[in-house]
Amino acid sequence: MDAVLPGMSGLSALDELRPKSPEESIPVLIFSDNNDLRAKLLAFRRGAHDYVIRPFEAEEVAARVRSLVRNRILHQMLQITSISDPLTSLYNRRFLSV
């Protein structure tokens, strides 16, 4: 997402995308012309997962996107394995306490 969007800032859009629960997290990559540390920190505080400054290399962005997707997949796998038995795939006690 761009840090500057028509009609609103990208950071405001991050607030709209903020999940209701950690399980619903959406990986967000911010593109910006602003190299200011405060802007970067604000984006991360609002839920951005990565921050890329223009101009950027396409290969670098592709690598960052692959990393975000890989982390999302691993996070989903961890969620599933934390509530089910690895041998039987039946739900465990943690599933009942959620």
Side-chain angles (χ1 to χ4, degrees), residues 2 29-35 40 51-62 64:
D2 200 326
L29 176 66
I30 296 287
F31 293 96
S32 179
D33 296 324
N34 191 352
N35 194 15
K40 291 178 192 178
Y51 193 97
V52 178
I53 299 164
R54 286 192 205 97
F56 54 82
E57 295 291 328
E59 293 173 13
E60 177 188 4
V61 173
R64 289 175 184 257

Side-chain angles (χ1 to χ4, degrees), residues 50-91:
D50 205 349
Y51 193 97
V52 178
I53 299 164
R54 286 192 205 97
F56 54 82
E57 295 291 328
E59 293 173 13
E60 177 188 4
V61 173
R64 289 175 184 257
V65 169
R66 279 192 301 273
S67 176
L68 288 173
V69 169
R70 184 176 55 246
N71 285 341
R72 176 69 178 142
I73 291 168
L74 290 173
H75 186 261
Q76 288 173 331
M77 288 173 52
L78 180 61
Q79 285 177 319
I80 291 168
T81 58
S82 72
I83 61 169
S84 62
D85 180 74
L87 180 63
T88 64
S89 297
L90 296 173
Y91 291 124

